[in-house]
């Protein structure tokens, strides 16, 4: 059994509607969204290679014909998951909260705190969806390019917030781009460690270290 869908922060996303018993639907777009939800959950927790199209049909309740109508191949479905679900998870978990924060340092701390609370509420660490897929699929050019673009957008959002702080007379002298790369890399590594240990402790340690670095 898969757990509820998670954002990049490991928080549950909105629960998808229960599939129809026969997989038939008069709502083609709704079925497509359900297939994406199911694939996102499976690919980022079980793994892309370990999930078959038959698995996805059974998990979504869709017929083989319906699945083929929306996604002719597993790769097409995987790319749609990256573009439409993983990108949205990064936006929801990191980029939007950071932009709304009073400054970059507090924004990063608020994101980490929210992630840690979410992981403790659910009692399980599945890791960062983007990082999970990047580790598995970066050897394939079609996946590597859009995933690299998502990492870049993530870094640019953090770097932009740091530049805004500098313009307002806040922050230190470190390169905004380098500091943003450090934040993303630290978070990604901490989530991998947290998943292996099934504990949010690596995130707590890294959040505290980033707080000191960003205040220096």
């Amino acid at each position: 059994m898969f757990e509820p869908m998670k954002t990049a922060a490991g928080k549950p996303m909105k629960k998808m509607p229960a599939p129809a018993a026969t997989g038939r639907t008069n709502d083609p777009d709704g079925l497509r969204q359900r297939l994406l939800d199911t694939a996102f959950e499976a690919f980022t927790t079980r793994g892309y290679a370990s999930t078959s199209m038959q698995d996805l049909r059974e998990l979504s309740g869709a017929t083989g014909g319906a699945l083929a109508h929306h996604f002719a191949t597993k790769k097409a479905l995987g790319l749609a998951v990256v573009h439409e679900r993983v990108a949205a998870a990064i936006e929801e978990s990191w980029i939007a909260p950071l932009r709304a924060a009073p400054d970059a340092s507090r924004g990063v701390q608020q994101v980490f705190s929210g992630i840690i609370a979410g992981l403790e509420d659910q009692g399980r660490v599945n890791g960062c969806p983007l990082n999970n897929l990047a580790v598995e699929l970066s050897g394939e050019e079609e996946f590597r390019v859009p995933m690299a673009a998502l990492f870049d957008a993530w870094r640019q959002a953090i770097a932009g917030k740091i530049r805004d702080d500098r313009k307002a007379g806040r922050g230190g002298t470190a390169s905004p781009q380098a500091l943003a790369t450090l934040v993303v890399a630290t978070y990604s590594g901490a989530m991998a460690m947290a998943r292996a240990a099934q504990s949010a402790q690596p995130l707590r340690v890294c959040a505290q270290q980033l707080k000191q670095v960003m205040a220096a």
Side-chain angles (χ1 to χ4, degrees):
M1 292 277 302
F2 293 120
E3 295 188 21
M5 282 178 57
K6 310 299 188 299
T7 67
K11 298 177 181 178
M13 295 181 75
K14 292 182 179 179
K15 187 175 181 181
M16 62 185 178
T22 63
R24 298 181 181 277
T25 179
N26 292 321
D27 180 13
D29 185 62
L31 174 58
R32 183 179 184 279
Q33 298 306 314
R34 190 167 79 237
L35 290 170
L36 283 170
D37 288 344
T38 302
F40 173 88
E41 172 72 12
F43 292 163
T44 60
T45 56
R46 174 188 290 187
Y48 178 84
S50 299
T51 305
S52 68
M53 293 294 267
Q54 177 62 33
D55 292 332
L56 296 173
R57 287 196 294 272
E58 293 175 357
L59 289 165
S60 66
T63 64
L67 178 55
H69 171 74
H70 290 286
F71 303 102
T73 65
K74 181 181 174 182
K75 179 172 285 188
L77 177 54
L79 289 170
V81 165
V82 171
H83 287 293
E84 301 181 41
R85 287 297 185 270
V86 178
I90 295 295
E91 175 69 28
E92 177 185 338
S93 301
W94 264 96
I95 296 177
L98 189 68
R99 286 175 176 159
D103 57 64
S105 181
R106 279 184 285 183
V108 169
Q109 292 302 309
Q110 288 168 7
V111 170
F112 267 81
S113 295
I115 289 167
I116 291 167
L119 294 178
E120 291 180 338
D121 285 345
Q122 74 187 35
R124 181 171 178 79
V125 183
N126 288 324
C128 169
L130 177 56
N131 196 53
N132 291 353
L133 290 178
V135 169
E136 182 179 7
L137 297 174
S138 289
E140 296 189 36
E141 186 76 3
E142 289 179 88
F143 284 99
R144 184 189 66 76
V145 172
M147 289 191 294
L150 290 181
F151 273 116
D152 187 59
W154 187 356
R155 289 196 303 271
Q156 293 306 325
I158 298 171
K161 191 70 174 181
I162 295 170
R163 291 189 188 98
D164 290 342
D165 292 345
R166 301 286 169 80
K167 291 176 183 177
R170 299 187 299 269
T173 60
S175 161
Q177 194 65 38
L179 193 51
T181 299
L182 177 64
V183 171
V184 173
T186 300
Y187 171 78
S188 298
M191 280 297 279
M193 293 175 67
R195 184 179 186 185
Q198 285 300 299
S199 167
Q201 185 60 20
L203 289 162
R204 289 194 185 88
V205 173
C206 288
Q208 183 60 34
Q209 294 305 306
L210 284 175
K211 183 177 182 179
Q212 294 178 23
V213 169
M214 296 183 77

